[in-house]
Amino acid sequence: MRRSTFGAWARGVTLVVLALLWLVPAYLLVVNAMTATEDYTGTPLWLPHSFALFDNVATAWEVGGFGPSMRNSLYYAIFCAGVAVLVATLAAFAVTIMPIRRPVLWFWFVYAGTLLPLQVFARPLFLGAVAVELYDTWTVLTVVYIAICVPFAFFVVRNFLVTMPPELVEAARLDGASWSRMFASIHLPLARPAMAAAFVFQFVWVWNELFFGITLTISPQVQPVMAALARLQTDGTAASPPVLMAAALLVSVPTVVVFFAFQRFFRAGVRSNL
């Protein structure tokens, strides 16, 4: 009894420490983002000396030109993550439910896309985009983001589908249901928690993605929001640290909103993969 109590106490302390390690940087970001530029001393402030958050956000929005880039990232994150999750669900259904040959081989063929560093794809994607005249277009980032998001979403949804009882498939086949009808009427509704969890993961990844955003595009009308944030820090606009932190806080809002909007499905989807 004492050993189990000590284990529970140790886990609780560990979780509190990990939560503090995550919350302290977030707290410093918020406190310094709301500090007026003239009150910023050059070192991180632990207590707010003033409240100029909205002024700093307005300055960052105007100087950084976040309007087009926020619109671009919303499109990339919502559309690309949504299409990738749907494609991944179809692939997971085929590998897990349908009687295809060598399902393990197909699983690794799709999942292998997550095993290589993204920098490996930079040169061929850049040269290919230039060759087909898609460099610096919405199309090239849309295709790349969808392709990169599919493997991990496939892994999440596939792990959920393997837990479903095989009697569902047998009963549906006895009733004469086709594979497409079975997917649309049975497995797709049941897989919604896993799909929602995969969507949250991929939305956050696409929203925070910077490497391909600055490798395959150059114009602000096409680049994602993280490219605009990087440009605000490096283009010599002399934006103060509070303004930069307010901009970082601003661009993180959509990911927080999506997480809380999908948290019920996210928890259910994550539990199904544990």
Side-chain angles (χ1 to χ4, degrees):
M1 184 66 179
R2 291 181 178 178
R3 184 175 299 178
S4 61
T5 303
F6 176 78
W9 180 83
R11 286 193 297 271
V13 171
T14 303
L15 290 175
V16 170
V17 171
L18 292 176
L20 289 175
L21 289 175
W22 182 87
L23 288 174
V24 167
Y27 169 79
L28 288 174
L29 175 66
V30 173
V31 169
N32 289 272
M34 67 174 59
T35 302
T37 300
E38 57 271 15
D39 295 333
Y40 189 76
T41 61
T43 57
L45 301 175
W46 287 89
L47 295 174
H49 291 184
S50 56
F51 187 83
L53 177 62
F54 298 122
D55 293 336
N56 291 337
V57 169
T59 301
W61 184 273
E62 180 180 357
V63 175
F66 284 100
S69 60
M70 290 279 280
R71 177 202 62 203
N72 296 339
S73 283
L74 281 175
Y75 161 74
Y76 294 137
I78 295 175
F79 180 78
C80 296
V83 172
V85 169
L86 180 59
V87 172
T89 304
L90 288 166
F93 176 81
V95 170
T96 307
I97 307 300
M98 297 179 66
I100 64 172
R101 299 180 59 185
R102 298 184 176 87
V104 176
L105 178 62
W106 283 108
F107 166 77
W108 283 107
F109 178 77
V110 177
Y111 183 65
T114 64
L115 304 180
L116 296 174
L118 297 181
Q119 290 79 2
V120 172
F121 307 110
R123 177 178 171 81
L125 285 176
F126 175 81
L127 296 177
V130 172
V132 297
E133 299 182 354
L134 288 180
Y135 178 77
D136 196 29
T137 64
W138 284 29
T139 303
V140 66
L141 284 184
T142 300
V143 173
V144 169
Y145 287 156
I146 291 175
I148 292 177
C149 286
V150 165
F152 183 77
F154 167 78
F155 174 77
V156 173
V157 179
R158 180 258 181 191
N159 283 358
F160 176 83
L161 291 181
V162 296
T163 64
M164 298 180 65
E167 291 79 10
L168 285 175
V169 178
E170 296 173 3
R173 295 299 289 172
L174 288 174
D175 290 339
S178 62
W179 292 112
S180 59
R181 177 65 181 274
M182 194 184 308
F183 172 79
S185 301
I186 300 177
H187 292 83
L188 186 62
L190 292 176
R192 283 185 299 177
M195 294 174 65
F199 176 82
V200 172
F201 277 119
Q202 301 313 314
F203 180 97
V204 172
W205 183 84
V206 173
W207 184 270
N208 293 327
E209 204 282 322
L210 174 64
F211 179 71
F212 289 114
I214 61 177
T215 302
L216 301 177
T217 62
I218 193 173
S219 61
Q221 291 74 24
V222 177
Q223 287 185 326
V225 70
M226 289 302 160
L229 182 60
R231 190 168 57 247
L232 181 64
Q233 301 178 62
T234 58
D235 66 355
T237 56
S240 64
V243 172
L244 293 174
M245 284 180 276
L249 192 63
L250 172 67
V251 301
S252 66
V253 169
T255 58
V256 176
V257 171
V258 167
F259 176 79
F260 281 106
F262 285 84
Q263 62 175 328
R264 178 168 61 91
F265 298 103
F266 181 78
R267 288 197 302 267
V270 170
R271 281 198 300 267
S272 68
N273 284 276
L274 296 179

